């Protein structure tokens, strides 16, 4: 993903989380792949919240590669769900 695309997804995520995630369950994480590739993953409490993320698809926690990095969201939630 290009830097400008990453930034636009981050802006969308922050706006959506601020208005639709009072329990701080949503996460935006990145996984660095072979340079310069970066892959973004969005954790949402309901599948309907994934709709605005064009090109994203549903996956399970097991589908997420090792070493994700938190971009936006609650650090405590990130630690509970994603750090192994």
């Amino acid at each position: 993903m290009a830097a400008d695309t990453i930034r636009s997804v981050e802006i969308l995520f922050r706006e959506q989380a601020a208005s639709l995630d009072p329990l701080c369950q949503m996460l935006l994480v990145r996984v660095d792949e072979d340079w310069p590739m970066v892959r973004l993953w969005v954790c949402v409490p309901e599948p309907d919240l994934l709709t605005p993320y064009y090109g994203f698809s549903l996956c399970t926690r097991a589908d997420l590669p090792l070493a994700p990095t938190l971009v936006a969201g609650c650090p405590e939630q990130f630690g509970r769900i994603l750090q192994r």
Side-chain angles (χ1 to χ4, degrees):
M1 231 179 231
D4 59 333
T5 303
I6 292 169
R7 183 70 183 135
S8 68
V9 170
E10 183 179 353
I11 291 168
L12 169 63
F13 175 87
R14 288 183 186 278
E15 289 173 354
Q16 188 183 42
S19 63
L20 301 173
D21 188 30
L23 300 177
C24 299
Q25 296 176 316
M26 293 176 60
L27 300 172
L28 176 62
V29 299
R30 69 182 274 159
V31 175
D32 293 327
E33 297 183 343
D34 291 335
W35 193 88
M37 287 297 297
V38 172
R39 188 168 295 211
L40 294 178
W41 303 74
V42 179
C43 176
V44 293
E46 298 177 25
D48 292 348
L49 296 176
L50 189 61
T51 303
Y53 298 94
Y54 177 76
F56 284 63
S57 59
L58 289 175
C59 68
T60 66
R61 168 64 185 98
D63 295 329
L64 186 66
L66 295 175
T69 302
L70 181 64
V71 175
C74 175
E76 291 82 13
Q77 180 74 348
F78 175 75
R80 279 192 298 275
I81 294 178
L82 296 175
Q83 290 187 327
R84 310 181 206 196

